[in-house]
Amino acid sequence: PAVTGFQPVFNFSRAPLTLKILVQTPYFERFAYPKALRLGLGELWPESESAEASTELKNEGWIVHATMKSEYERWLEGSVAILASGSSRKRRTNKIPVTLGFTEYGRNQTRIKRIHKMNGTYKLYKRALKNELTEAELSTLLRG
């Protein structure tokens, strides 16, 4: 069924190595998403408070969240910028940005890494991906 009112997210950071390789391979990327859904790696985040998911989506393997993304989750994906004390404010005008991702997922991961590097939060981002950093610790480190 069509998913409206929700943002679908696939959490490949928790996937087995074979699936991570599959999602980074052109053409074969399309086979990674149904497999990820069967493994419970597909998440649906509501775009508004009034969004409601059908039970059919949950039966297909989606993890349906009841609330919208927190500031921490939006920071992880790079849609909220929190500048750290070591932020890079230099603009490199002599270099052309090259995206090394060959798939949609790879390009998105490259974009997120660049955002965190420019904001000076890349080391915190890597810790957060390994579940070594909680939302409370992040707010303490960046705001305190």
Side-chain angles (χ1 to χ4, degrees):
V3 180
T4 56
F6 287 88
Q7 176 189 9
V9 175
F10 287 90
N11 193 349
F12 286 107
S13 61
R14 296 183 306 172
L17 181 61
T18 55
L19 192 57
K20 288 179 183 178
I21 293 170
L22 190 66
V23 78
Q24 294 280 358
T25 309
Y27 180 77
F28 295 106
E29 175 192 23
R30 67 184 80 186
F31 302 112
Y33 294 100
K35 177 73 173 168
L37 199 54
R38 286 192 297 273
L39 292 175
L41 301 174
E43 301 179 23
L44 290 176
W45 291 91
E47 293 175 346
S48 68
E49 296 294 334
S50 61
E52 288 188 27
S54 67
T55 55
E56 187 177 326
L57 291 172
K58 293 177 184 176
N59 292 339
E60 289 180 1
W62 289 101
I63 297 170
V64 181
H65 296 276
T67 60
M68 294 173 32
K69 288 184 179 182
S70 69
E71 185 174 299
Y72 175 73
E73 287 143 350
R74 292 183 11 235
W75 171 80
L76 276 176
E77 72 180 12
S79 63
V80 168
I82 303 172
L83 297 177
S85 59
S87 300
S88 171
R89 296 187 187 256
K90 288 192 265 181
R91 290 273 186 208
R92 296 180 181 174
T93 55
N94 60 343
K95 294 195 175 188
I96 299 171
V98 177
T99 303
L100 296 177
F102 297 111
T103 62
E104 183 66 32
Y105 176 77
R107 286 187 293 274
N108 189 41
Q109 291 304 109
T110 302
R111 179 190 63 82
I112 291 171
K113 286 178 185 177
R114 284 187 180 154
I115 288 170
H116 285 290
K117 283 181 180 180
M118 288 299 292
N119 290 341
T121 56
Y122 184 66
K123 289 181 182 178
L124 294 175
Y125 168 72
K126 287 193 325 187
R127 283 184 54 205
L129 285 182
K130 296 176 186 175
N131 291 327
E132 296 175 357
L133 183 71
T134 64
E135 188 170 355
E137 289 174 321
L138 177 69
S139 63
T140 302
L141 288 170
L142 296 178
R143 306 219 192 275

